[in-house]
Short mmCIF file of all heavy atoms in Angstrom, two decimals:
data_model
loop_
_atom_site.label_atom_id
_atom_site.label_comp_id
_atom_site.label_asym_id
_atom_site.label_seq_id
_atom_site.Cartn_x
_atom_site.Cartn_y
_atom_site.Cartn_z
N ILE A 41 2.53 19.72 -9.42
CA ILE A 41 1.37 19.68 -8.52
C ILE A 41 0.68 21.03 -8.50
O ILE A 41 1.33 22.06 -8.39
CB ILE A 41 1.83 19.34 -7.07
CG1 ILE A 41 2.45 17.96 -6.98
CG2 ILE A 41 0.68 19.50 -6.07
CD1 ILE A 41 1.47 16.81 -7.06
N GLU A 42 -0.65 21.00 -8.60
CA GLU A 42 -1.43 22.22 -8.37
C GLU A 42 -1.88 22.20 -6.92
O GLU A 42 -2.75 21.42 -6.56
CB GLU A 42 -2.67 22.24 -9.27
CG GLU A 42 -2.35 22.44 -10.72
CD GLU A 42 -3.62 22.58 -11.56
OE1 GLU A 42 -4.68 22.93 -11.00
OE2 GLU A 42 -3.54 22.31 -12.76
N PRO A 43 -1.30 23.06 -6.08
CA PRO A 43 -1.68 23.01 -4.67
C PRO A 43 -3.09 23.55 -4.46
O PRO A 43 -3.62 24.25 -5.31
CB PRO A 43 -0.65 23.95 -4.01
CG PRO A 43 -0.28 24.91 -5.09
CD PRO A 43 -0.35 24.14 -6.38
N ASP A 44 -3.70 23.21 -3.31
CA ASP A 44 -5.01 23.75 -2.97
C ASP A 44 -4.88 25.15 -2.38
O ASP A 44 -5.79 25.96 -2.49
CB ASP A 44 -5.70 22.85 -1.94
CG ASP A 44 -5.89 21.45 -2.48
OD1 ASP A 44 -6.64 21.31 -3.46
OD2 ASP A 44 -5.25 20.51 -1.97
N VAL A 45 -3.75 25.38 -1.72
CA VAL A 45 -3.53 26.67 -1.08
C VAL A 45 -2.13 27.17 -1.44
O VAL A 45 -1.17 26.39 -1.40
CB VAL A 45 -3.64 26.55 0.46
CG1 VAL A 45 -3.37 27.89 1.14
CG2 VAL A 45 -5.01 26.01 0.87
N ILE A 46 -2.04 28.46 -1.80
CA ILE A 46 -0.75 29.08 -2.10
C ILE A 46 -0.54 30.18 -1.05
O ILE A 46 -1.25 31.17 -1.07
CB ILE A 46 -0.75 29.69 -3.52
CG1 ILE A 46 -1.03 28.61 -4.57
CG2 ILE A 46 0.56 30.42 -3.79
CD1 ILE A 46 -1.34 29.16 -5.96
N MET A 47 0.36 29.95 -0.11
CA MET A 47 0.52 30.90 1.00
C MET A 47 1.78 31.75 0.84
O MET A 47 2.86 31.23 0.57
CB MET A 47 0.56 30.13 2.32
CG MET A 47 0.51 30.99 3.56
SD MET A 47 2.07 31.75 4.03
CE MET A 47 2.95 30.34 4.69
N LEU A 48 1.60 33.05 1.00
CA LEU A 48 2.73 33.98 0.99
C LEU A 48 2.64 34.88 2.20
O LEU A 48 1.55 35.26 2.61
CB LEU A 48 2.67 34.85 -0.27
CG LEU A 48 2.89 34.13 -1.60
CD1 LEU A 48 2.31 34.93 -2.74
CD2 LEU A 48 4.38 33.89 -1.82
N HIS A 49 3.80 35.24 2.77
CA HIS A 49 3.77 36.24 3.84
C HIS A 49 4.47 37.51 3.36
O HIS A 49 4.90 37.59 2.20
CB HIS A 49 4.32 35.69 5.15
CG HIS A 49 5.70 35.13 5.11
ND1 HIS A 49 6.81 35.87 4.73
CD2 HIS A 49 6.16 33.89 5.41
CE1 HIS A 49 7.89 35.11 4.83
NE2 HIS A 49 7.53 33.90 5.22
N ASP A 50 4.59 38.49 4.24
CA ASP A 50 5.15 39.78 3.78
C ASP A 50 6.58 39.63 3.27
O ASP A 50 6.98 40.34 2.36
CB ASP A 50 5.05 40.86 4.87
CG ASP A 50 5.50 40.39 6.24
OD1 ASP A 50 5.12 39.27 6.64
OD2 ASP A 50 6.22 41.13 6.93
N GLY A 51 7.34 38.68 3.81
CA GLY A 51 8.70 38.48 3.34
C GLY A 51 8.74 37.75 2.00
O GLY A 51 9.22 38.28 0.99
N SER A 52 8.19 36.54 1.96
CA SER A 52 8.26 35.75 0.72
C SER A 52 7.38 36.36 -0.36
O SER A 52 7.68 36.24 -1.56
CB SER A 52 7.84 34.30 0.98
OG SER A 52 6.56 34.23 1.56
N GLY A 53 6.30 37.04 0.04
CA GLY A 53 5.44 37.71 -0.94
C GLY A 53 6.21 38.78 -1.69
O GLY A 53 6.12 38.89 -2.93
N ALA A 54 7.02 39.53 -0.95
CA ALA A 54 7.79 40.60 -1.59
C ALA A 54 8.81 40.02 -2.57
O ALA A 54 8.98 40.52 -3.69
CB ALA A 54 8.48 41.45 -0.53
N THR A 55 9.49 38.94 -2.17
CA THR A 55 10.48 38.32 -3.07
C THR A 55 9.79 37.75 -4.30
O THR A 55 10.30 37.88 -5.42
CB THR A 55 11.21 37.13 -2.40
OG1 THR A 55 11.18 37.32 -1.00
CG2 THR A 55 12.62 37.02 -2.90
N ALA A 56 8.64 37.12 -4.09
CA ALA A 56 7.93 36.52 -5.22
C ALA A 56 7.50 37.62 -6.20
O ALA A 56 7.62 37.46 -7.42
CB ALA A 56 6.72 35.74 -4.73
N LEU A 57 7.03 38.72 -5.66
CA LEU A 57 6.59 39.82 -6.52
C LEU A 57 7.75 40.38 -7.33
O LEU A 57 7.63 40.64 -8.53
CB LEU A 57 5.94 40.91 -5.65
CG LEU A 57 5.34 42.11 -6.36
CD1 LEU A 57 4.34 41.67 -7.42
CD2 LEU A 57 4.64 43.03 -5.35
N ARG A 58 8.91 40.51 -6.66
CA ARG A 58 10.08 41.02 -7.38
C ARG A 58 10.47 40.06 -8.50
O ARG A 58 10.79 40.48 -9.62
CB ARG A 58 11.25 41.21 -6.40
CG ARG A 58 12.35 42.07 -6.98
CD ARG A 58 13.48 42.29 -6.00
NE ARG A 58 13.98 41.02 -5.50
CZ ARG A 58 14.41 40.84 -4.26
NH1 ARG A 58 14.40 41.82 -3.40
NH2 ARG A 58 14.85 39.66 -3.88
N THR A 59 10.42 38.76 -8.22
CA THR A 59 10.78 37.78 -9.24
C THR A 59 9.80 37.83 -10.41
O THR A 59 10.20 37.76 -11.57
CB THR A 59 10.81 36.36 -8.65
OG1 THR A 59 11.65 36.38 -7.51
CG2 THR A 59 11.34 35.36 -9.65
N LEU A 60 8.52 37.95 -10.10
CA LEU A 60 7.52 38.04 -11.19
C LEU A 60 7.87 39.20 -12.10
O LEU A 60 7.84 39.09 -13.32
CB LEU A 60 6.13 38.27 -10.61
CG LEU A 60 5.35 37.07 -10.13
CD1 LEU A 60 3.95 37.49 -9.71
CD2 LEU A 60 5.27 35.99 -11.22
N ARG A 61 8.22 40.32 -11.49
CA ARG A 61 8.56 41.50 -12.31
C ARG A 61 9.82 41.28 -13.12
O ARG A 61 9.90 41.71 -14.26
CB ARG A 61 8.67 42.73 -11.42
CG ARG A 61 7.29 43.11 -10.92
CD ARG A 61 7.28 44.36 -10.12
NE ARG A 61 5.90 44.62 -9.72
CZ ARG A 61 5.54 45.30 -8.64
NH1 ARG A 61 6.47 45.81 -7.87
NH2 ARG A 61 4.28 45.48 -8.36
#
Side-chain angles (χ1 to χ4, degrees):
Chain A
I41 296 286
E42 290 185 22
D44 300 296
V45 178
I46 300 168
M47 189 280 287
L48 292 159
H49 57 59
D50 46 316
S52 56
T55 335
L57 184 54
R58 195 178 54 215
T59 307
L60 277 185
R61 290 184 179 153

